[in-house]
Amino acid sequence: MASGTALIYDGEMMSHKLLWEDTECDIEVPERLSASYEQLRQYNLVERCVRVPVREATVDEITLVHSQEYLEVIKSTQSMNEDELRNTSMNYDCVFLHPNSYRCAKLAAGGTLQLVDSVMSGKVLNGMALVRPPGHHSQRNLANGFCLFNNVAIAAEYAKKKYNLQRILIVDWDIHHGQGIQYIFEEDPSVLYFSWHLYQHQEFWPKLRESDFDAVGKGDGTGFNINVPWNKVGMENADYIAAFLHVLLPIAFEFNPELILISSGYDSAIGDPEGKMCATPECYAHLTHFLMQLANGKCCVVLEGGYHMRSLSESVCMTVKTLLGDPVPQLHGEMVPCFSAVETIQNVRAAHKPYWKCLAFSGSSIVQAANTRRQGSGEAATPAKTNSEVAIETDIFLQSHMKSFLFPAPPVIAAAVVSENNTLLLPKCMLVHEDTVPAKEAQAHLSFHKELMEDEIDTYLLTKTLSLLNTILQKQVRSGISECLSASAAAVVALKHCIRFGLNRVLHIMFGDVGGIHLNEEGKIISIRISENQPSQTANSKYEISLNWKEDLQTDDNFVYTLLSLILPLAYSFQPELTVITFGPESKITISSIALLTKLMQGLGEGGILALIQDTELKYLKTVAEALLGVNTPAIAPNSAAAEVVIQAVEEQRHNLQTEWKMLRCSVD
Ligand code: X5A
Ligand code: ZN
C-alpha cells in the first residue's frame, strides 16, 4: 500500500497580486504561500515530504469546469494594462487581476492535478498543494471571491475522468461557502460536497440563500450537497469536531469515497480577520486525521483561504504533520459545543435524514435557529476588537501555544509484549518490548496489586505488561500491545497502575467476556464494554457504559455507527490521557472494526494506547499492531445500515449521558 506525503509548492504563484487599493481584496497576499512554506521548513516538514513540481493545467482540463468564453476572458488579462485589469476585475465580486494571474491560476489548478496524480498513481498516500489564487468560489463563467479557476472542482472532474472514479468526497473547511463547487456538482451524485461556513442568517459573504442547510443538492444529486451554516462567530474546536462526528463522518463512511479532496481554507482558524472563529491549529490535525480513515487514506489537501499569517502557517503545518503520520496533539479548550452550533448540526441532520441511512432514525427535526449570541463569548459585553488587535493577540497566543507541541515526534511508536512463540505474529517493524524497568522493580509494582490477581500464572506476562505500561506513561513509547493470560486481571492491574502513576483520565474499551471490572477511581476511568454476555453486575452510569450485542450484531455497520455516535463523542468530551483496549475471551467484534477503532482512538491522548489481548484472541494482534504503527491497511466499507436495535440502544445512551459528556449532543431538544 502507498505511503508518503506529497508537497506541491512553487514561488511563482506569488507573482499574482493586487496592484491597486482595495480594502476587500488586500488580505489575499502572496506572503500567504511563503509564510506557510517557511513554517513547514522551520519544523523540518518539507524534507519529510515528497516534492512534486507544479505544472500548468491545460485548456482541456480547465474546460472540464469552466466555459471556453470565460477561459478566454482570463487569458486575455495577460496583456492588459492596469486600467484594463481593474475594469475586468470589477465585473466580478471580490476579484483582482494581475498580468501574471492567468499563469498563476493555471499553475494552481495544474499543481492540484499533480497532487491528484501523485495520490491516484500510488506514488504517495496523500499530500498538500500550497497554491494560489484559490478556487472554491469560482464558477463556470465567473471569477469570484479571489478565485479564478476552481482548482478542487477541476481536480474532481479530472479524477472522475482519468481514474474512472464513482465517488469523490470534497470537504470544504474554509470559512466561506464554496458556492462555486456547490453549483458545479449540485446535480452530480458522484461528488459529495460538504461545506461549513459562517452564514449569520445570510448576513455573511457571499450572502446567498443557497448556502443554508436546506440546499441538499438537486435532481440525481439530491442528498449529495451538505451545508453546515454557522450562525455565530467564535466557533471553537469542540464545534468543529462535533460537526465532523455528527454530520460529516457518518455520511462520509456511508458514502464510502474513493478519493478525498479538501478545500482547505484556514480562514476558519483563530485570529482570521474574515472568519472570526476560534479553532486552534491542532484542530486541523484532528480534522485531517478523521478524513485519513476514509478512501484508503487517499487524501488531497488544497489550500483555499486563510489570512492571518501565523494562524494560517501553523495550521498548514499541523495538517501536513498529520498527513505524515505524526501523533495528533491534544485539543485546546473545553470540549463543549455551543448552543448555536448544536442548532446548526440538528438542522443539517434533519435536512439530510431522508437521504442517508445513518440519519434515518435520528429523532430531531428542524429548529428555527435563534438569533442569539454565541454562548460564553464575551462578544456582547466587550466592544468588538479591531482586526489588528485580534491579529496581534493571536500572534502572541500562538507563539506560546505552539510550544506545547512536539516537533519532531518521538521516534518510537509502538512496542509489544508477547510470549516467545508469538513474536512471529507481529509486523516486522514492531518493536518487541524489552524490560526497561528492572525485574525487581516490576515485581514491586505488581505486588501493590497482589490482591487483584486471580491467577498466579499470569505473573510473568503481567510483569512485562506493567513494564511496557511504564514506558508508555513515561512517554518513551507512544503505545503498546500485550498478550495476556487473563485480560481482565491485566486490565485491572493496568488501570490501577495508571491511576497510581497519576493519570486523571483513562478510557477503557472492552470487548468480550472481561470479568466484572467496576473501577472508576472517582471518575478517573470511563469504561465502555461491548460484549455478547451481560456483565455480572450491570451498572450503567456516566462512567460505565455497557452494550450487549449478540454475535450477529457485531458488524462493521453497527460498530461504525456506535463509534461515531457514542464512543468518539464520549472520548472527545473526556479527553483521556491514555486509552486501554481490552480483548477478553469471546471477543466477537470484526477485525476491520478494530482497525478503525485503533486508528481513531489515536486522535486522543497523543496516541497513547495500551491494548491487552487475551491469548485466545490473538487474531486481533496483527491488526492492532499495524494500526498502532500507522501501517495503512484497507479501510472499512460499510455496506448497509446499522441495526435498529443498536441505534435505539445508542440513542438511549446518548440521551442519558449527554448532560455529562457534552460532545454527545447533536440536538438542542
Ligand atoms: C478563498 C476565500 C474569500 C473571499 C472574501 C470576500 N475567499 N469578501 O477565502
Ligand atoms: Zn475563505
Side-chain angles (χ1 to χ4, degrees), residues 136-137 174-176 265 267 304-307:
H136 71 153
H137 297 301
D174 187 284
I175 207 57
H176 300 96
D267 41 15
E304 300 276 4
Y307 308 103

Side-chain angles (χ1 to χ4, degrees), residues 438-651:
K440 259 214 191 112
E441 209 181 299
Q443 279 292 345
H445 282 305
L446 205 53
S447 65
F448 284 127
H449 311 298
K450 207 73 179 175
E451 74 281 5
L452 301 160
M453 294 190 39
E454 297 166 353
D455 195 339
E456 282 302 321
I457 325 164
D458 232 338
T459 312
Y460 174 73
L461 276 177
L462 214 44
T463 305
K464 297 195 69 147
T465 306
L466 271 187
S467 158
L468 169 64
L469 176 55
N470 267 331
T471 62
I472 296 172
L473 293 170
Q474 290 155 12
K475 304 259 176 203
Q476 293 155 355
V477 172
R478 201 194 299 173
S479 55
I481 304 179
S482 192
E483 177 187 344
C484 310
L485 298 181
S486 162
S488 331
V492 172
V493 171
L495 291 169
K496 287 249 176 193
H497 189 73
C498 289
I499 304 306
R500 201 186 293 268
F501 181 85
L503 295 194
N504 288 310
R505 296 178 309 279
V506 182
L507 177 59
H508 186 206
I509 303 172
M510 296 175 257
F511 299 95
D513 297 334
V514 183
I517 301 177
H518 299 286
L519 296 171
N520 89 29
E521 301 285 327
E522 286 142 16
K524 291 180 179 169
I525 301 173
I526 294 188
S527 64
I528 304 172
R529 175 200 306 269
I530 295 179
S531 62
E532 203 167 6
N533 303 313
Q534 203 107 338
S536 48
Q537 275 173 274
T538 19
N540 269 317
S541 71
K542 62 191 187 196
Y543 299 109
E544 225 173 305
I545 295 117
S546 186
L547 294 166
N548 294 106
W549 291 356
K550 293 281 160 245
E551 186 168 2
D552 62 340
L553 286 179
Q554 306 214 15
T555 63
D556 284 347
D557 292 311
N558 288 336
F559 189 74
V560 170
Y561 186 86
T562 306
L563 184 57
L564 298 176
S565 317
L566 185 65
I567 301 175
L568 283 169
L570 247 166
Y572 270 89
S573 302
F574 186 55
Q575 292 290 312
E577 295 154 287
L578 181 75
T579 301
V580 177
I581 307 176
T582 303
F583 299 88
E586 305 289 312
S587 291
K588 298 285 169 66
I589 195 76
T590 68
I591 300 276
S592 42
S593 291
I594 289 309
L596 183 65
L597 173 75
T598 311
K599 290 180 197 167
L600 281 171
M601 291 316 296
Q602 287 176 77
L604 295 136
E606 282 159 14
I609 292 180
L610 174 67
L612 302 169
I613 308 182
Q614 180 94 24
D615 59 354
T616 56
E617 310 299 310
L618 292 172
K619 57 179 186 268
Y620 296 109
L621 189 69
K622 185 167 175 280
T623 304
V624 174
E626 286 178 347
L628 291 179
L629 289 169
V631 177
N632 185 40
T633 49
I636 217 159
N639 34 46
S640 79
E644 211 175 323
V645 282
V646 167
I647 295 173
Q648 267 158 13
V650 167
E651 290 315 310

Side-chain angles (χ1 to χ4, degrees), residues 69-176:
E69 303 76 70
Y70 172 66
L71 174 65
E72 294 300 331
V73 172
I74 299 303
K75 188 175 177 183
S76 71
T77 65
Q78 288 178 103
S79 50
M80 286 182 182
N81 64 30
E82 193 175 317
D83 275 349
E84 293 166 326
L85 287 166
R86 208 171 162 147
N87 283 331
T88 312
S89 301
M90 289 204 323
N91 293 334
Y92 306 107
D93 184 12
C94 290
V95 170
F96 60 91
L97 291 157
H98 176 280
N100 221 31
S101 292
Y102 177 56
R103 162 85 177 155
C104 291
K106 282 190 293 183
L107 293 179
T112 305
L113 299 183
Q114 289 283 80
L115 176 56
V116 167
D117 280 332
S118 304
V119 168
M120 288 311 300
S121 68
K123 182 178 173 189
V124 293
L125 174 62
N126 55 32
M128 176 153 197
L130 289 177
V131 296
R132 66 183 282 279
H136 71 153
H137 297 301
S138 89
Q139 299 151 41
R140 187 172 161 77
N141 290 304
L142 226 50
N144 180 271
F146 317 150
C147 301
L148 302 184
F149 297 147
N150 201 316
N151 307 319
V152 165
I154 294 169
E157 289 294 1
Y158 175 85
K160 270 172 61 177
K161 204 167 143 197
K162 180 160 177 187
Y163 300 100
N164 189 29
L165 299 188
Q166 321 288 309
R167 292 178 312 280
I168 296 175
L169 169 63
I170 299 178
V171 177
D172 187 340
W173 67 43
D174 187 284
I175 207 57
H176 300 96

